[in-house]
Amino acid sequence: MESLQMTTKVSSCIPSSRNPVQAKFSNFKVVGQVGYAPFWRGRSGSRCLRIRASVSGGGGGRGSSSQDGNSAVEDEEKEEKKGLLLGTEMDGSGSVVGFNLIPQSVYCFGGVQEVGFFHEYRDGVDWFRFTLLCHAACEAPLVLPLGGFTYGEKCLFLVNDWHASLVPVLLAAKYRPYGVYKDARSILVIHNLSHQGVEPATTYMNLGLPPEWYGAVEWVFPTWARKHALDTGQAVNLLKGAVVTADRLLTVSQGYSWEITTAEGGYGLNGLLSSRRSVLNGITNGIDVAEWDPSSDEHIACHYSAENLNGKAQCKIALQKEVGLPVRPDCPLIGFIGRLDYQKGIDLIRSAIPEIMEEEVQFVMLGSGDPEFEDWMRATESAYKDKFRGWVGFNVPISHKITAGCDILLMPSRFEPCGLNQLYAMRYGTVPVVHDTGGLRDTVENFNPFVQEGHGEGTGWTFSPLTKESMLVALRNATRTYREHKSSWEGLMKRGMQRDYTWENAAIQYEQVFEWAFLDPPYVS
C-alpha cells in the first residue's frame, strides 16, 4: 500500500507541493476528534476523492471562529496534538454518505475550494473503518446506555482477526495506564493467520496510539520480501499487536492452534504464538443446524435423515438432471464447493482431473475466484461433457443441492483453519475426502474398515502429504468403497450425520475460555 498523496487541483490527481492545502470545507459537519495523526481512506480502489465543504463550529475551534488565515493557522497548530476532526460527508440532498477524518495538513479557513485526495491501497481494505470501529468498541461500554445504563469497565472484548486487533492494544496503551479497564479482558480469535493487517510503517501515526507503543505493532519484512534494495521492510502489523497484548488467544480448531505455532503455518508469527502457547486454544466452529438439515432443507429435491436415507438417492438424480449430467445413480458423484484459489488446492484438482476422468465417476464444482481457474473449469466442462460440470460463481440453493446430491466432497486445502463444507457434507451423508490439515484433520476421522468386527469406524478419508498422488489414492479408496462395500458406505454416511457440530457445543467451550480469561490478571497491565 502506498502512502497518501494530496492534490489541490480539481481536474487531476497529480501530487501537489509540500505546502499545506488551504481550504474551507462545505457539506462537512465536525462531530468529534479522534487519534493523533492524519487519517484518510477512500472506499474502493485507487481514485481521487473530491469534496466541497466547510467546517462548522465546535470541533475544537479548527478554523471555525477565526476570520483571518493566520489566526486559523495558529489555531490549527495548537490543535495538532489533540487529534483529528471527524466529520460527516453529505451529498447534495444533505444525506450522510460517509464519515471521514480531516487530515492535519489541511488548514480550514476563508475561501471555498475543492480538495482532491489520491489513494493507492489494496481493494477491500478500509483502514479508516476498522480503526475507527476499534476506538468505538473501546468507548462504547463506558459511554453508551445499553439497556438504560452503561456497561462499565468489567467486560470482555472478543477480538476477531486483524480487523479488530487494535482493541487489545488500545486497552493496554491508552486505558489501563490511567486505571480504566483494569478489570476488562480481551480474547483474540484467529480465523486465518495469513491475513494480518500489514501496512507501511507510516500508518502507525494513523492508529491513535502513543509513540512509545510502536514496538507492539512493529513488523519488518525479510530481505527477500522487500520491493527493492532501498526498501527497509518497515511496516506495522495489527494482528501481531493483538497477539502480544490480548489476554488469551483462540483459533477455530485445535489442529490449527498447533499449526500456527510452526514455521510452515505461522506466517512469521509462529515464534510469538509459541511463546503464548499456554493461553492458546482451539475451538471448532459450529454450523447452523436449522439451515443445514437434510430432513427439512427447502433447497433439496427430497428430504432424508440418518434413520431413513432413501431421499439421498433422489437428491443425486435431481442434481444430475439440473446440471446436465447423465442420470447414473450408481456412478460415484464427487463435489467441490469453495473459492477457486491456491489455498483451496484447486491446482491439485486441475492436475489430477485427467486421471480422475479416466475413472467411472462424475464431478461437479461450484466456486469463483482466480480467473485462470474459472477459465480452466469452463474448459474442463467442454472437454468432459458427460462427466464434469463447473458452476462459476456462488449460488446458495446450488450449494445445498451439491451437498445433498453428491456422494463424495473433495477438499484438498493447503491449510484450513476450520472448514465448514466438510461439516455440512457429513450432516448430509456426503463423505468427505480431505487434506490432513487444520480443522479438516480435527473433524474428519479417517475410515478404518477393520474395527468393530468389520463394521468399521470413521467418517471419511484424510490424505497426506498434499500431492496429487496421495489425493488420488484417497479418492480411489472412497469410490471403491462406494461401489463394492455398500454396508461400509452406509456406516460412513450415518456416522457423519450423527456427529455433533452445533454452535451449542462450541458455545460451552467458549464460555470456559471466558472464565479462564478472568482468572488471571491482565496480560499487559
Side-chain angles (χ1 to χ4, degrees), residues 282-295:
I283 299 175
T284 302
N285 280 336
I287 62 174
D288 186 339
V289 294
E291 179 184 358
W292 292 91
D293 184 353
S295 66

Side-chain angles (χ1 to χ4, degrees), residues 372-385 388:
E372 179 183 343
F373 290 135
E374 292 181 354
D375 292 341
W376 162 78
M377 206 158 70
R378 295 185 184 100
T380 304
E381 179 174 306
S382 298
Y384 302 99
K385 297 183 186 298
F388 185 94

Side-chain angles (χ1 to χ4, degrees), residues 2 31 57 116 199 207 236 286 332 334 346 355 362 368 397 465 470:
E2 303 297 330
V31 295
E199 281 293 304
L207 302 178
V236 294
I334 304 167
I346 305 301
E355 292 166 80
Q362 294 176 337
S368 62
S470 62

Side-chain angles (χ1 to χ4, degrees), residues 2-6 38-41 103 117-120 202:
E2 303 297 330
S3 54
L4 180 71
Q5 302 181 54
M6 292 180 42
F39 196 119
W40 190 278
R41 287 285 174 248
F117 297 92
F118 183 56
H119 308 270
E120 287 189 314
T202 53

Side-chain angles (χ1 to χ4, degrees), residues 468-484:
K468 178 182 75 171
E469 290 73 24
S470 62
M471 183 181 75
L472 287 172
V473 167
L475 269 179
R476 286 165 181 157
N477 284 336
T479 56
R480 182 180 177 185
T481 303
Y482 174 84
R483 290 192 187 96
E484 301 177 9

Side-chain angles (χ1 to χ4, degrees), residues 294-336:
S295 66
S296 60
D297 192 331
E298 63 181 14
H299 300 300
I300 64 178
C302 190
H303 294 152
Y304 60 97
S305 65
E307 291 71 35
N308 184 353
L309 293 169
N310 291 335
K312 175 77 170 171
Q314 297 303 312
C315 289
K316 179 177 180 177
I317 292 171
L319 176 62
Q320 289 171 326
K321 289 180 178 178
E322 179 153 356
V323 299
L325 287 171
V327 175
R328 299 181 59 189
D330 294 329
C331 178
L333 180 53
I334 304 167
F336 172 90

Side-chain angles (χ1 to χ4, degrees), residues 86 91 120 172 182 222 240 275 286 307 311 334 345 377 418 442 451 504:
L86 172 66
D91 60 19
E120 287 189 314
K182 60 184 182 299
K240 178 224 172 181
S275 71
E307 291 71 35
I334 304 167
M377 206 158 70
C418 176
D442 287 0
V451 298
E504 286 78 6

